[in-house]
Amino acid sequence: MKLSAAFGFLTDFRYALQASLPGTLKAVISSPSLLLKPALVSRIVMSYVWGLFANGIDGNSREIKIGLITQDAHGLVLDIGAGHGHTANYLDHDKVSKYVALEPNVLMHPQIRATAKAAGFEEADGTLVILSCGAEDTETILSTVGAVDTIVSVLTLCSIPSPELTISTLVRDVLQPGGVLLYFEHVRSPRDDVAWWQKLWTPLWQLAFDGCKLDRPTHLWIEGALNTKGEKIWKEGRRWGVKGEPEEHLWWHQAGRYVKVS
Ligand SMILES: C[S@@+](CC[C@H](N)C(=O)[O-])C[C@H]1O[C@@H](n2cnc3c(N)ncnc32)[C@H](O)[C@@H]1O
């Protein structure tokens, strides 16, 4: 792997620190007890970081999101780790009845509300629900919105704790039979040299990006997911990459569409 690609990481890391440090320091100075709550500090950092990166990342992934989300999201749509709610911009009103934005970082909720409203989804008319639990909290999801037709995960499975367990539990308990999981994630590279750098940088990167790991083979976990009896959970599925994405990309992406057995 070229060293310029391997160290390109440091540029984004520096931007993330520059964007988040002033606001985070201000929050800690006005409430020093935050120092005893590192998870909360991490969420504050991420709210600034995502404010800097979200629109650019969304713009770069527009084509793949249209082919994935606009094409296949239908019915009741659960967006795990909704961030600023960009998924709402890709939902087709003719096919989607409700947008459920699950986002544990409540600092991002005003942005979700604004983005969803501009895309025609509002809490007032019942077309938008915002959940503040994690994706692993299937009880809260089920008791609030019930089973869903579509689960969307965009750049989220890199951050959540126990992703393999969360994916299989969400699909087993929350996704309707015949429902669809749509994902777009950065994942562990199939190239050993790139994967080595991803593993090296992950401990540093996750500090700035709320636990985000560069080295998770999420695409393989989804592909091979089984139910508790050891049976396949997918009726069909396929995955694909981003056209023109360099092989040396530290954030090597995969998109996938998987249909749950009926
Ligand atoms: C990189 S952002 C992606 C946001 C959005 N999906 C997008 O593409 O614009 C990852 C998001 O996952 C959220 N997240 C972190 N832990 C989570 C969990 N346990 N369950 C669901 N979302 C989580 C973070 O708060 C963050 O908003």
Side-chain angles (χ1 to χ4, degrees), residues 43 46 50 54 57-58 65 79-87 102-105 108 133-136 153-161 166 184 186 209-210 212:
R43 295 249 151 109
M46 185 61 183
W50 207 237
I57 290 177
D58 176 62
K65 285 182 176 181
D79 183 20
I80 60 169
H84 286 181
H86 282 89
T87 291
L102 178 150
E103 178 47 67
N105 191 340
M108 298 190 185
C133 61
E136 57 283 352
S153 177
V154 178
L155 309 176
T156 292
L157 291 167
C158 50
S159 303
I160 66 176
T166 300
F184 176 57
H186 63 82
F209 279 80
D210 195 19
C212 169

Side-chain angles (χ1 to χ4, degrees), residues 26-42:
K26 210 168 143 195
V28 169
I29 288 165
S30 61
S31 178
S33 65
L34 277 174
L35 288 173
L36 303 172
K37 300 168 191 157
L40 216 54
V41 175
S42 188

